[in-house]
Amino acid sequence: MKVGIVRFPGSNCDDDAWHAVVDHLGQDAVMLWHKAHDLEGADVIILPGGFSYGDYLRAGAIARFSPIMREVMAHAKRGGIVIGICNGFQIACEAHLLPGALLPNDAGYRSMPVTVRVERTDTPFTSAASAGQLLTMPIAHGEGRFTASADELDRLEGDGQVVFRYVDSTGNPTPASNPNGASRNIAGVCNGGRNVVGLMPHPERAMEPLLGSTDGLVLFESLLATVNA
Amino acid sequence: MTATPRPGDPAITPALVAEHGLTDEEYRRMVAMLGRDPTFTELGVVSALWSEHCSYKHSLPLLRALPTKAPWVLQGPGENAGVIAVGDGLAVAFKIESHNHPSAVEPYQGAATGVGGILRDVFTMGARPVAMLNSLRFGSLDSARVRYLVAGIVKGIGDYGNCVGIPTVAGDVMFDPSYEGNPLVNAMCVGLLREEELTRAKAEGVGNPIMAVGARTGRDGIHGASFASEDLSHESDAKRPRVQVGDPFTEKLLLEATLELIASGAVVAIQDMGAAGLASSSAEMAARGDVGVVIDTTKVPVREPGMTPYEILLSESQERMLVVAHRGRDDTVREILAKWDLQAAVIGEVIAEPVYRVTEGDHVVAEFPGTKLVTDCPVYTPEARESAAVAALRGQDAHTVPEVAEESDPAWTLEHLLSSPTIAGKHWIYRQYDSTVRTNTVRGPGAGDAAVLRIRGSRRGIAAKTDCNSRYVYLDPRNGGQIAVAEAARNVACVGARPRAITNCLNFGNPKKPEVYWQFREAVAGMGEACAALDTPVTGGNVSFYNENPSGAVFPTPTVGMIGILDDVERSVGMAFAAADHSIVLIGEPTDELGASEYLARIHGLTAGAPPRCDLAKERATIEALLDAIGAGRVQSAHDCSEGGLAVALAECCIANRHAMHGARVDLSRWAGLPQRALLFGEAQARVIVSTTHPGDVVAAARRHGVSAFHIGTTAPAGEGLFIAGIAKPLAAPLARLADAYHESLARAMAPAATQEQGISS
Amino acid sequence: MKYRVQVEVLPRRGILDPQGRAVADALRTLGFADVEEVHLGRHLVVELAAASADAARASVTAMCERLLANPVTEQFVVGAAETA
Amino acid sequence: MKYRVQVEVLPRRGILDPQGRAVADALRTLGFADVEEVHLGRHLVVELAAASADAARASVTAMCERLLANPVTEQFVVGAAETA
Ligand SMILES: Nc1ncnc2c1ncn2[C@@H]1O[C@H](COP(=O)(O)OP(=O)(O)O)[C@@H](O)[C@H]1O
Ligand SMILES: [Mg+2]
């Protein structure tokens, strides 16, 4: 598997994604400069976290016009795998690779561990997880309140596009376990083709016991299983 | 050549000189240095460089007495940041800096630009910033203005560091009415580098181009350095246009570009354009290298048309650097900056002639002989005298303070102390800070007595913590200065790291007041003694005077930023009890000391009594014992006793990890002879609570180093609560109540904060 | 000619606006008891060269559609083009 | 009566506006080459009960001074009060 990690101006989880793929998964990775026009043969594209263009205007709004994004969108259209993490999720929504929008949190920036429930295992980022599995991973964002119209939310639920939901330690999506006010506790979604997945928590920060959680591993292992299948 | 006025320059009058904050004596000194009357531009430059902030004119002689050397110190004071060796060819660069005055006027931008400045100090050394810390002091949260300051400052620190992508991993916060109107905002940055990447800010090489790099220069923050050197008063309000706005996005690009630049080998030296902007960065770089320089202000990229040399030299626009490139490599510099959508312009040159010269095109607007601008700065040793009122406060006997009725139940007192904003958990603050980005944070805020970071590709780790109990310093500056260092060292040792070096931020009032200068002199001396005793030299720091408001000076606050190194980061321990049925061992011993305690402040509203004694030999032995026991893998958790004493520390061990709390049964009958308040809440130094599966080994380790240690109890399931026996009335407290007091109080106190609007739209 | 065009971008009706609500709460806490609702959005001023005021407005409208507003959650109003 | 008052809050002139600059750069990259400058601020709509349009505006002006705008870095314009 070869993973392309896009480096936008202001990306700051690009190195973390790199370590997750290269050090912890033992796979190939390549950094893709935002001005580039070539994905260098990557099977999987990661849009990493950070503050692309300072998140000025709206998170992800400016980055989605980067030259590399044209290639990423074409890759997605071909059915190629794209994973958006945090700022990458915001960019993917702005680029209409994913439905909905990520608005400022209802109560400000939040940095803390959260628990999410895996709602779907039929995506390339969750295929190795089990349905209903609880994963604890850090979040660190100010604009992660997933929002869409009520009709759109119903459609997403109906089509099985809600991939992760914020839950409490017993697996229930309660208001208290929702760190940003996201509609229906949604922490991550996929597109209709199920090849693009976005989520607010940071699985790349939950890859080793030394740092407190290994729950992100299963998501990266899913990529490997999907690509090698 | 000689400098001549430009058309339109105001005439140099005594009033104008006074407005520039120069005394008559200083003006005469300047004229003597020049051998003629200054131009307006020269007056501005001297005023900025001789400001307290840039020149350290009231502090330098005392700072020179601090210990600065050790085999592991690669760079001591005098550079943008200090650097120590870690082993494996790696080094850590670190520095702390204040942004008190800007934050008092504009909390959000003031704090944000403080973070930006200290980041640049570290990455100009060739180090990649890996962690931020912050040390904050505020007035009482009962005041709406204070809540507004807290909200804005915390958001400013968070937004900036979060955007650049540097985890904020530790800090300390204290509340006291003395900080009303003059909050302290000290930001510390820690960076990692390979020893051979160490870069200094020393201009060298005749003919080498000098370049302005990064953001354009605007009219913001002109005379910020002298602003930082004044008392805060209502007049400060009128100085609001001086406020600088931070641009963390540009900072992130500048950070990446600078590290690439250093790796390219194209540059000789780099310095941040911080306080007093281009003037001070260029003059200081020239002085360090003992070379001449010439700068042409028309070549500096500006944001607004019509800026004068005076404005260009003194602007404090953020996110800019001054670079000395190797001759012929300026294109490389431009290319690297362009890759990051930033610009670089050649604005001057290193010259053989021993002068500091500024031109506007062909017109020389300022010229100083040699490096005198920096080296000829006046130095003062003001009168020092202790305040009799403070001495009287220190002399009060805390034991004569009558108990309030509720205190008959020690659980009430404990709960009341845990909810004191100074003691209470700071989650409300650090939940706004990304503490896990860069995936190196082994122990973030709230998880240990200090933060722990792993170093990729090495077994070693870095520990860092800021500390200063300024109430101690107020009541006894020498002792308080010692304790600030000792406490920081102890905190770092509690996570298993050997304390290695400090950076300090000396926040004091107006040094021209004898009682303030006395505090300063004594506190610095105390710090120096502790640094020598603990083998933690000072590698740099910052002095912030004039922290006053209409009602007087703030508590003297010599904040310590301590760096420790772990040989094996996997061995680090946290502060929370890890499981039930572990033994609880107290290293060190309670005393009858109660003075200067948080107990007196919180329960009785008193700042009085003598602070606890600091025995530096004992501190050192305690640290060694702790490191032995942790290094041998015999310690499951460690937490020192600080504000609130033994009872508060025990409670914190029980509840710090809210998701996995543990009870404790403790017996203190061995010390039944001590006054109960002192035993539970007194703040005797050199004490650490350890939980362990091998109490005998921990006690033995302590003995080996000549320190007492006692097996005082056992951890228990959370449901059993905290139970302390062996005192007149046993203390029994359910953990839920303690946890609520500790974890929720700050959020509750901040709840009525007026929504901090700025930044919402981003 | 040089024009200055004002743009307001506000949350669409029906989209929850917790920030607006927080501001309304804060105002009431400060004693502005008569505040009923607050909506919070962005205000932009775009200065641009254009052949005519109409051309300037048309250009700014295109900017809103492409970048300045997110059609999923926001609506925008482009003001008149004044000569700058 | 119920009134609706519009407020624009923008960075003061001379104060760095990194957000506005980033948006202007992005617009030019998108092909809007004629963009010269962009300023980015907040737009608020305040709905409140007041005795008259003048009273509503006066009240909103007071809100701006106390909370809605930061006098150190921002300037604000209170629009006309419309009945809501
Ligand atoms: N401003 C802050 N930012 C980040 N972390 C903080 C801050 N203040 C306190 N902390 C963290 O909270 C914990 C307790 O700090 P403190 O009360 O200063 O401990 P101690 O009394 O041991 O010095 C530490 O982990 C510390 O790093
Ligand atoms: Mg401690």
Side-chain angles (χ1 to χ4, degrees):
Chain A
M1 178 174 76
K2 183 171 178 184
V3 177
I5 299 162
V6 179
R7 178 171 277 173
F8 297 99
S11 291
N12 61 36
C13 305
D14 42 353
D15 289 340
D16 300 348
W18 173 281
H19 289 300
V21 171
V22 176
D23 299 351
H24 300 298
L25 221 56
Q27 298 300 302
D28 249 11
V30 57
M31 286 290 185
L32 301 172
W33 187 238
H34 64 112
K35 290 175 186 165
H37 295 274
D38 178 5
L39 301 183
E40 298 188 31
D43 308 297
V44 173
I45 299 299
I46 293 182
L47 305 176
F51 284 73
S52 55
Y53 293 92
D55 277 359
Y56 297 156
L57 191 65
R58 294 184 308 278
I62 299 178
R64 76 123 153 158
F65 292 108
S66 297
I68 193 78
M69 281 304 287
R70 221 168 298 153
E71 310 310 317
V72 171
M73 280 144 97
H75 172 81
K77 206 160 181 185
R78 290 192 296 270
I81 301 171
V82 178
I83 306 298
I85 302 170
C86 196
N87 195 226
F89 185 12
Q90 295 160 340
I91 295 168
C93 288
E94 284 283 343
H96 308 299
L97 285 173
L98 288 171
L102 293 156
L103 298 184
N105 296 353
D106 58 355
Y109 190 96
R110 280 295 177 279
S111 164
M112 58 192 208
V114 296
T115 302
V116 296
R117 189 174 70 198
V118 177
E119 303 289 85
R120 304 291 305 195
T121 55
D122 54 352
T123 82
F125 210 38
T126 51
S127 59
S130 44
Q133 187 173 350
L134 302 189
L135 305 176
T136 298
M137 302 181 281
I139 56 161
H141 63 252
E143 300 187 39
R145 177 165 54 99
F146 185 81
T147 304
S149 68
D151 289 352
E152 177 79 351
L153 289 168
D154 288 342
R155 193 187 62 70
L156 293 178
E157 303 267 15
D159 293 350
Q161 284 179 245
V162 175
V163 183
F164 300 100
R165 227 184 281 273
Y166 301 109
V167 294
D168 65 15
S169 57
T170 63
N172 286 314
T174 57
S177 60
N178 185 343
N180 52 29
S183 297
R184 306 189 190 179
N185 281 44
I186 293 172
V189 296
C190 68
N191 64 343
R194 317 197 73 76
N195 56 314
V196 181
V197 180
L199 75 169
M200 288 314 296
H202 286 279
E204 81 282 13
R205 300 187 191 180
M207 302 290 286
E208 40 186 331
L210 183 63
L211 305 188
S213 168
T214 53
D215 288 2
L217 259 174
V218 69
L219 303 184
F220 283 89
E221 282 164 355
S222 299
L223 289 178
L224 191 57
T226 308
V227 171
N228 289 345
Chain B
M1 276 183 245
T2 184
T4 50
R6 355 173 12 255
D9 274 359
I12 310 293
T13 61
L16 190 69
V17 170
E19 231 173 80
H20 278 76
L22 291 175
T23 63
D24 292 350
E25 175 53 37
E26 285 169 345
Y27 182 71
R28 276 194 293 276
R29 192 182 178 96
M30 169 180 186
V31 171
M33 172 176 87
L34 290 169
R36 59 179 163 78
D37 285 347
T39 65
F40 178 58
T41 310
E42 288 168 336
L43 177 64
V45 167
V46 165
S47 137
L49 270 115
W50 290 5
S51 71
E52 190 68 51
H53 191 84
C54 290
S55 73
Y56 293 85
K57 58 188 169 191
H58 285 100
S59 58
L60 209 54
L62 292 179
L63 298 181
R64 288 221 168 99
L66 289 169
T68 60
K69 293 199 168 62
W72 51 89
V73 174
L74 301 179
Q75 177 63 59
E79 273 286 340
N80 286 330
V83 182
I84 61 168
V86 171
D88 305 333
L90 294 162
V92 169
F94 61 105
K95 171 103 182 282
I96 194 167
E97 196 155 77
S98 66
H99 236 214
N100 306 337
H101 288 80
S103 303
V105 174
E106 211 315 278
Y108 179 83
Q109 295 295 351
T113 51
V115 172
I118 196 63
L119 270 165
R120 289 192 293 283
D121 276 344
V122 165
F123 68 71
T124 50
M125 301 299 293
R128 177 171 284 279
V130 294
M132 301 285 316
L133 295 86
N134 60 109
S135 178
L136 309 175
R137 298 292 179 272
F138 299 106
S140 160
L141 284 175
D142 296 338
S143 142
R145 170 80 190 167
V146 170
R147 293 195 299 272
Y148 162 79
L149 290 173
V150 173
I153 285 166
V154 168
K155 186 163 162 55
I157 291 171
D159 283 1
Y160 203 101
N162 297 344
C163 184
V164 182
I166 315 300
T168 300
V169 295
D172 70 301
V173 189
M174 179 175 168
F175 299 84
D176 184 89
S178 83
Y179 299 105
E180 195 91 44
N182 197 322
L184 302 185
V185 179
N186 294 178
M188 172 169 166
C189 181
V190 182
L192 190 64
L193 67 158
R194 302 207 57 84
E195 284 188 30
E196 66 271 14
E197 292 162 339
L198 178 50
T199 307
R200 296 188 170 85
K202 187 169 157 192
E204 278 171 338
V206 171
N208 281 336
I210 298 176
M211 304 178 77
V213 158
R216 288 172 175 271
T217 298
R219 287 199 167 94
D220 26 7
I222 290 170
H223 276 310
S226 14
F227 172 42
S229 310
E230 289 163 14
D231 291 359
L232 270 191
S233 65
H234 296 301
E235 269 168 49
S236 303
D237 282 354
K239 293 187 170 139
R240 280 175 163 180
R242 289 178 181 179
V243 165
Q244 311 138 20
V245 171
D247 178 1
F249 171 57
T250 299
E251 178 97 344
K252 167 69 174 165
L253 303 183
L254 191 58
L255 153 62
E256 298 299 338
T258 301
L259 294 180
E260 248 182 77
L261 211 53
I262 289 171
S264 77
V267 306
V268 177
I270 307 192
Q271 171 147 353
D272 163 36
M273 288 197 223
L278 176 57
S280 91
S281 53
S282 55
E284 284 174 12
M285 284 230 268
R288 281 198 202 99
D290 198 13
V291 295
V293 296
V294 58
I295 304 268
D296 180 352
T297 58
T298 62
K299 302 248 174 76
V300 176
V302 290
R303 220 164 63 216
E304 302 165 59
M307 287 182 66
T308 63
Y310 180 104
E311 290 171 322
I312 291 170
L313 284 165
L314 297 181
S315 158
E316 294 188 357
S317 288
Q318 298 287 300
E319 292 91 21
R320 300 178 303 156
M321 311 270 241
L322 194 65
V323 168
V324 180
H326 284 290
R327 200 177 186 160
R329 301 291 307 270
D330 44 315
D331 279 341
T332 309
V333 176
R334 266 187 287 263
E335 273 160 33
I336 290 172
L337 271 289
K339 172 184 166 192
W340 293 98
D341 298 321
L342 296 170
Q343 50 189 339
V346 173
I347 63 166
E349 189 177 302
V350 177
I351 56 175
E353 199 185 344
V355 291
Y356 175 82
R357 178 179 298 142
V358 181
T359 69
E360 183 184 28
D362 292 337
H363 181 176
V364 176
V365 293
E367 178 162 318
F368 298 93
T371 58
K372 288 198 169 179
L373 183 51
V374 176
T375 52
D376 250 26
C377 166
V379 172
Y380 302 109
T381 303
E383 185 191 344
R385 190 175 349 100
E386 180 173 26
S387 148
V390 177
L393 284 177
R394 182 175 58 239
Q396 280 181 28
D397 180 2
H399 298 291
T400 61
V401 174
E403 287 193 16
V404 298
E406 293 92 329
E407 281 184 73
S408 60
D409 178 7
W412 176 88
T413 317
L414 175 60
E415 225 181 287
H416 216 60
L417 280 171
L418 288 171
S419 66
S420 155
T422 294
I423 291 180
K426 306 297 185 288
H427 184 248
W428 185 91
I429 291 174
Y430 58 71
R431 73 184 186 189
Q432 301 184 56
Y433 302 155
D434 188 344
S435 55
T436 51
V437 63
R438 300 199 60 77
T439 53
N440 294 320
T441 309
V442 177
R443 298 198 186 275
D449 275 14
V452 179
L453 300 157
R454 63 99 168 269
I455 303 174
R456 271 186 199 279
S458 160
R459 287 176 72 84
R460 294 176 209 270
I462 305 168
K465 181 72 167 82
T466 57
D467 272 302
C468 177
N469 185 320
S470 52
R471 190 182 293 122
Y472 298 169
V473 185
Y474 174 71
L475 287 164
D476 183 346
R478 187 142 197 153
N479 189 29
Q482 291 182 348
I483 291 178
V485 177
E487 185 187 353
R490 215 188 299 135
N491 278 328
V492 158
C494 278
V495 297
R498 175 167 293 282
R500 273 310 194 190
I502 73 161
T503 176
N504 62 40
C505 197
L506 307 174
N507 308 272
F508 286 76
N510 179 348
K512 292 167 195 156
K513 295 184 182 170
E515 66 275 15
V516 169
Y517 193 71
W518 184 81
Q519 290 172 334
F520 182 74
R521 192 185 75 194
E522 294 299 303
V524 170
M527 256 186 160
E529 287 155 359
C531 286
L534 302 179
D535 223 0
T536 55
V538 180
T539 61
N542 170 240
V543 179
S544 171
F545 281 132
Y546 305 98
N547 289 291
E548 307 232 348
N549 57 63
S551 38
V554 301
F555 274 174
T557 313
T559 303
V560 172
M562 177 73 68
I563 295 289
I565 303 298
L566 295 97
D567 287 334
D568 182 357
V569 74
E570 301 263 357
R571 285 271 161 99
S572 90
V573 296
M575 67 190 256
F577 290 146
D581 289 324
H582 285 176
S583 297
I584 303 173
V585 172
L586 174 66
I587 302 179
E589 225 174 332
T591 67
D592 65 353
E593 292 165 302
L594 192 56
S597 60
E598 182 70 18
Y599 161 84
L600 285 180
R602 174 75 173 169
I603 310 290
H604 299 281
L606 283 177
T607 293
R613 285 178 298 274
C614 182
D615 177 341
L616 291 169
K618 204 158 130 193
E619 293 285 358
R620 172 136 194 180
T622 306
I623 289 168
E624 297 295 342
L626 198 54
L627 292 180
D628 267 12
I630 295 175
R634 289 305 190 229
V635 172
Q636 273 63 51
S637 76
H639 180 39
D640 76 326
C641 297
S642 57
E643 287 89 356
L646 182 58
V648 162
L650 281 167
E652 288 171 343
C653 293
C654 293
I655 61 180
N657 182 354
R658 214 176 174 179
H659 306 291
M661 299 199 290
H662 292 95
R665 288 185 304 269
V666 173
D667 184 346
L668 301 181
S669 49
R670 174 192 304 271
W671 297 288
L674 290 178
Q676 181 170 316
R677 297 189 288 182
L679 174 56
L680 292 178
F681 308 116
E683 297 174 7
Q685 294 296 296
R687 292 186 299 167
V688 177
I689 295 168
V690 160
S691 70
T692 171
T693 47
H694 294 75
D697 292 355
V698 173
V699 172
R703 294 247 164 82
R704 266 201 309 281
H705 292 280
V707 180
S708 46
F710 309 91
H711 186 168
I712 60 169
T714 315
T715 63
E720 294 190 23
L722 172 62
F723 184 74
I724 302 179
I727 49 180
K729 177 171 190 296
L731 185 157
L735 296 191
R737 287 188 52 188
L738 300 182
D740 181 75
Y742 182 77
H743 290 291
E744 300 299 334
S745 290
L746 195 55
R748 272 198 287 268
M750 285 303 294
T755 313
Q756 184 54 38
E757 267 283 276
Q758 59 242 41
I760 270 188
S761 60
S762 65
Chain C
M1 279 286 279
K2 227 180 113 173
Y3 291 93
R4 178 179 297 130
V5 183
Q6 314 267 338
V7 180
E8 11 175 306
V9 182
L10 284 165
R12 272 184 195 286
R13 302 243 144 222
I15 293 276
L16 227 58
D17 180 12
Q19 291 183 293
R21 208 175 45 210
V23 173
D25 289 344
L27 286 170
R28 282 188 288 261
T29 312
L30 281 179
F32 298 101
D34 294 331
V35 170
E36 292 181 0
E37 249 180 82
V38 174
H39 301 282
L40 180 63
R42 276 189 296 281
H43 192 95
L44 293 106
V45 183
V46 181
E47 293 176 7
L48 76 169
S52 67
D54 279 356
R57 283 202 68 207
S59 175
V60 172
T61 306
M63 294 175 199
C64 288
E65 282 161 356
R66 285 209 67 195
L67 176 68
L68 302 182
N70 181 347
V72 179
T73 53
E74 296 172 330
Q75 56 197 30
F76 62 86
V77 180
V78 177
E82 308 152 30
T83 54
Chain D
M1 282 284 283
K2 224 179 115 177
Y3 291 92
R4 177 179 297 129
V5 183
Q6 314 268 336
V7 180
E8 8 173 310
V9 183
L10 285 166
R12 270 185 196 284
R13 299 249 143 212
I15 291 252
L16 184 70
D17 178 10
Q19 309 216 28
R21 205 182 47 206
V23 173
D25 287 345
L27 287 170
R28 281 188 289 261
T29 313
L30 282 180
F32 297 100
D34 293 330
V35 170
E36 292 182 359
E37 250 181 80
V38 174
H39 301 283
L40 182 56
R42 285 189 297 283
H43 192 94
L44 294 108
V45 183
V46 181
E47 293 178 5
L48 75 170
S52 67
D54 280 355
R57 283 201 69 209
S59 173
V60 172
T61 305
M63 294 174 199
C64 287
E65 281 158 359
R66 292 208 48 201
L67 179 70
L68 303 181
N70 178 346
V72 182
T73 53
E74 296 174 327
Q75 56 198 27
F76 63 87
V77 179
V78 176
E82 307 153 31
T83 55

